[in-house]
Amino acid sequence: MIMFKGCGTALATPMRADGSIDYEGLEQLVEFQIANNIQSVLAVGTTGESPTLLWEEHNEVIDRTVKLAKERVQSIAGVGSNSTKETLAGSEHAAHVGADAVLVVDPYYNGPSSMEIRREYIEPVAKDFPQMKVLPYIIPGRTGCMMQVEDLAILAEQYPNVGQVKEATGDLENMAKTRRICGDDFTIFSGDDDKTVAMMKDPNIKAAGVVSVMSNVIPGPLQKLTELLLAGQVAAANELAAKLNPLFGMVGVTTTEESPHGPVECKSRNPVPVKTLMNILGMPSGPCRQPLGKMTRSGAAVVLAAAKQVQANDPATFAPIAESFGVDIEARLNDDSLIENLIYQSY
């Protein structure tokens, strides 16, 4: 069961000002992705704010995304949770509406062992839904636990639908170990925009592509980047990557802020920076749901500077946004007032 090669997008879930889901905006975002040659769309991953969506909303976002993607691009449903019962129910819904795959993040907070993740969490999904590809998502920085490569290999041997992984450990050695133990037919996707080029170029990893955050705003260029890397056109890939590189570092933004009691490190985690950028560029986005909130002024400045640098590197990069959403990119990037409602005005 072969998944896509190239770039898939971990879709942001657009919200209205009152915190409800902007379903019209969601459909516009999916159409934008498909029009720009993306290979898959992932509904309700971390970028889609899965922890704060009610399961009814969760299923509705998946339903709408799958219907739009049908026979056009692959659809992936985020169904991971810290309850196998919930994950099985989400997987049943995803199978019912016709998703091509499910993304199953390691079960956060309750801290199962690697063997428990395999036996009590991933295996029930793989066993009950053999017709659907299962994409384990390894991101210990978010979950506080991690399925090890050895258990991933056992799953791949036992279940043909577990032939792929979204790898976001940030550990190139672990990725090379995955390739070595799981074999050449196993598919590795980058889960970190800033690691994609290294993972695809490294002969010991041979990643097939990326499930990307930044492709929410630049799907075409990121798909092109993966195509160049898959074709071995390294020089052209490096040139394109250099133009896009400012955006890769803003998936998460860390600043030091002055509180009334001294300096405090402020980590603005995905999807806050990318939704801030989408708002600046005039795309459907809206706010994040609490407990995520806004960026600081200095954090938003990092996002804005990265976008301005990419625009200066090549104005064609953001041109599809202008065309799809009827906005003036240059004007928006130079309108300082746009960030005022997107930031905390004080600590």
Side-chain angles (χ1 to χ4, degrees), residues 35-191:
N36 284 278
N37 200 34
I38 209 68
Q39 299 301 291
S40 75
V41 285
L42 162 63
V44 204
T46 306
T47 309
E49 300 181 70
S50 55
T52 54
L53 264 63
L54 301 175
W55 271 101
E56 293 81 2
E57 296 173 319
H58 198 114
N59 289 343
E60 181 69 14
V61 171
I62 288 170
D63 192 6
R64 289 174 182 249
T65 302
V66 169
K67 285 178 179 176
L68 288 169
K70 203 70 175 174
E71 298 181 358
R72 301 165 78 189
V73 297
Q74 287 200 21
S75 58
I76 307 171
V79 300
S81 80
N82 53 6
S83 163
T84 298
K85 184 177 180 180
E86 283 187 347
T87 294
L88 285 169
S91 299
E92 183 175 11
H93 174 265
H96 175 72
V97 299
D100 297 299
V102 288
L103 179 83
V104 189
V105 69
D106 283 341
Y108 39 86
Y109 187 75
N110 35 15
S113 68
S114 178
M115 184 174 68
E116 287 172 314
I117 295 172
R118 169 172 61 86
R119 287 180 175 269
E120 311 296 343
Y121 182 63
I122 303 290
E123 185 173 325
V125 177
K127 183 178 180 180
D128 284 4
F129 303 98
Q131 79 283 9
M132 196 162 51
K133 293 181 281 291
V134 176
L135 179 60
Y137 180 17
I138 315 298
I139 183 167
R142 286 272 191 174
T143 62
C145 64
M146 175 178 169
M147 184 166 64
Q148 300 293 332
V149 174
E150 291 81 357
D151 284 295
L152 180 61
I154 292 170
L155 284 167
E157 291 162 359
Q158 294 179 343
Y159 298 96
N161 54 337
V162 191
Q164 52 280 318
V165 68
K166 181 182 178 185
E167 226 285 6
T169 64
D171 183 350
L172 296 178
E173 289 299 321
N174 193 72
M175 301 169 196
K177 183 180 180 182
T178 302
R179 174 59 64 214
R180 187 169 67 252
I181 295 179
C182 293
D184 288 339
D185 293 334
F186 191 82
T187 302
I188 300 173
F189 292 109
S190 169

Side-chain angles (χ1 to χ4, degrees), residues 293-317:
K294 300 179 180 182
M295 301 192 78
T296 62
R297 185 175 296 276
S298 57
V302 173
V303 170
L304 189 56
K308 286 182 176 180
Q309 185 59 59
V310 168
Q311 176 75 355
N313 290 345
D314 186 357
T317 304

Side-chain angles (χ1 to χ4, degrees), residues 197 200-201 225 228-241:
V197 172
M200 294 187 72
K201 286 167 63 174
L225 177 62
L228 290 171
L229 290 165
L230 289 168
Q233 297 180 36
V234 176
N238 288 342
E239 182 180 353
L240 178 55

Side-chain angles (χ1 to χ4, degrees), residues 7 32-33 35-38 215 217-227 240 244 317 320:
C7 186
F32 172 68
Q33 292 293 320
N36 284 278
N37 200 34
I38 209 68
S215 59
V217 294
I218 51 167
L222 279 174
Q223 173 59 26
K224 179 63 175 179
L225 177 62
T226 59
E227 290 173 357
L240 178 55
L244 305 178
T317 304

